[in-house]
């Protein structure tokens, strides 16, 4: 998963590009800490226009064998954490009176079932219901709420030994190259995964005025995964 070093790199990238940033390590399960961080940012920058609820975790296991703590961790981060993010952010967006955009990262697993990740599937389906309800509740204030649904993304969350073994249980120590064949079979287009930039470009679009009348939409970024 992401590290403190990744956060420091993000800070450096923003500052090098001439921007300003407040960076905090916060657990989205801790509403009070998240709320305090958002308040601090609004005090410094003046208002809040765009929210990206992107924190998420995953693990594997068949549902009947999952430890209760494993189920709860994924639900608490992926679903309750998104609710916490929106709950802390919405009052500031309403106070600003400028409308705005909330973009929630769901998953291809938020639109269809997959074996061995049932807790993840449940959490990512849950945020779709959350998104649609918020889109209705906030429409009159011109605050748009949408979910994006990436396929497998070329990040360490997917590119790791655990996932390689899930795709290639026939090999004792499968590599990325060994698992790539399985990844390609999931997507309609002839690629094994999408890149972080592919997802970022869709977030930027939904956050922009070009998407000013798009709300309540579950948008796949998946190279045709939903067609398979």
């Amino acid at each position: 998963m992401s590290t403190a070093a990744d956060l420091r790199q993000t800070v450096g990238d923003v500052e090098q590009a001439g921007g300003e940033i407040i960076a905090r390590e916060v657990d989205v399960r801790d509403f009070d800490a998240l709320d305090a961080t958002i308040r601090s940012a609004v005090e410094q920058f003046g208002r809040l226009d765009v929210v990206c609820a992107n924190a998420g975790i995953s693990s594997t296991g068949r549902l009947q064998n999952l430890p209760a703590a494993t189920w709860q961790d994924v639900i608490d981060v992926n679903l309750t954490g998104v609710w916490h993010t929106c709950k802390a952010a919405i009052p500031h967006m309403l106070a600003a009176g400028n409308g705005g955009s909330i973009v929630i990262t769901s998953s291809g697993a938020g639109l269809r079932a997959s074996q061995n990740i049932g807790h993840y599937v449940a959490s990512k389906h849950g945020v779709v219901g959350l998104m649609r309800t918020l889109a209705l509740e906030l429409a009159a204030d011109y605050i748009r709420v949408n979910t994006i649904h990436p396929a497998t993304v070329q990040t360490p969350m997917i590119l790791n030994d655990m996932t390689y073994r899930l795709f290639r249980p026939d090999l004792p120590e499968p590599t990325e190259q060994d698992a790539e064949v399985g990844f390609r079979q999931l997507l309609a287009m002839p690629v094994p995964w999408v890149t972080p930039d592919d997802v970022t470009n869709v977030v930027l679009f939904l956050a922009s005025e070009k998407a000013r009348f798009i709300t309540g939409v579950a948008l796949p970024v998946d190279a045709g995964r939903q067609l398979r």
Side-chain angles (χ1 to χ4, degrees):
M1 305 303 294
S2 297
T3 65
D6 293 326
L7 182 59
R8 288 193 296 272
Q9 180 180 339
T10 300
V11 171
D13 290 344
V14 171
E15 291 176 344
Q16 186 175 6
E20 296 181 61
I21 183 171
I22 292 177
R24 302 282 189 274
E25 291 187 45
V26 178
D27 188 331
V28 293
R29 293 172 292 187
D30 184 346
F31 174 78
D32 290 338
L34 187 61
D35 185 53
T37 299
I38 292 176
R39 288 179 183 277
S40 176
V42 172
E43 287 173 5
Q44 177 165 330
F45 296 123
R47 73 187 208 203
L48 180 60
D49 299 302
V50 177
V51 176
C52 297
N54 187 59
I57 61 173
S58 184
S59 59
T60 61
R62 298 185 72 83
L63 280 173
Q64 72 267 25
N65 299 325
L66 279 181
T70 301
W71 167 275
Q72 199 63 56
D73 282 343
V74 169
I75 297 298
D76 285 349
V77 173
N78 294 5
L79 180 54
T80 304
V82 170
W83 173 60
H84 281 169
T85 301
C86 295
K87 179 177 172 62
I90 288 168
H92 301 287
M93 301 179 81
L94 291 172
N98 298 296
S101 174
I102 299 173
V103 183
I104 298 170
T105 303
S106 180
S107 166
L111 298 174
R112 61 185 296 165
S114 294
Q115 297 185 75
N116 301 306
I117 54 169
H119 51 331
Y120 184 78
V121 169
S123 70
K124 293 301 187 177
H125 272 69
V127 297
V128 175
L130 178 67
M131 172 273 290
R132 288 173 173 159
T133 303
L134 286 173
L136 283 174
E137 292 180 350
L138 299 172
D141 295 289
Y142 293 96
I143 297 174
R144 299 174 288 106
V145 190
N146 297 285
T147 48
I148 56 172
H149 297 262
T152 47
V153 184
Q154 192 181 18
T155 71
M157 190 173 184
I158 295 297
L159 303 183
N160 60 70
D161 292 339
M162 180 183 70
T163 306
Y164 301 156
R165 287 193 295 271
L166 186 64
F167 273 78
R168 294 301 305 271
D170 56 312
L171 298 177
E173 295 184 7
T175 65
E176 176 182 326
Q177 186 174 6
D178 295 325
E180 186 174 322
V181 175
F183 283 120
R184 286 181 179 273
Q185 292 175 354
L186 296 176
L187 309 182
M189 299 176 76
V191 294
W193 40 62
V194 300
T195 71
D197 283 350
D198 296 320
V199 180
T200 299
N201 288 335
V202 176
V203 173
L204 290 172
F205 167 70
L206 290 174
S208 75
E209 282 298 302
K210 294 179 181 179
R212 65 191 184 123
F213 292 132
I214 298 176
T215 194
V217 170
L219 180 58
V221 189
D222 67 354
R225 167 63 173 151
Q226 298 301 319
L227 301 175
R228 283 294 181 89

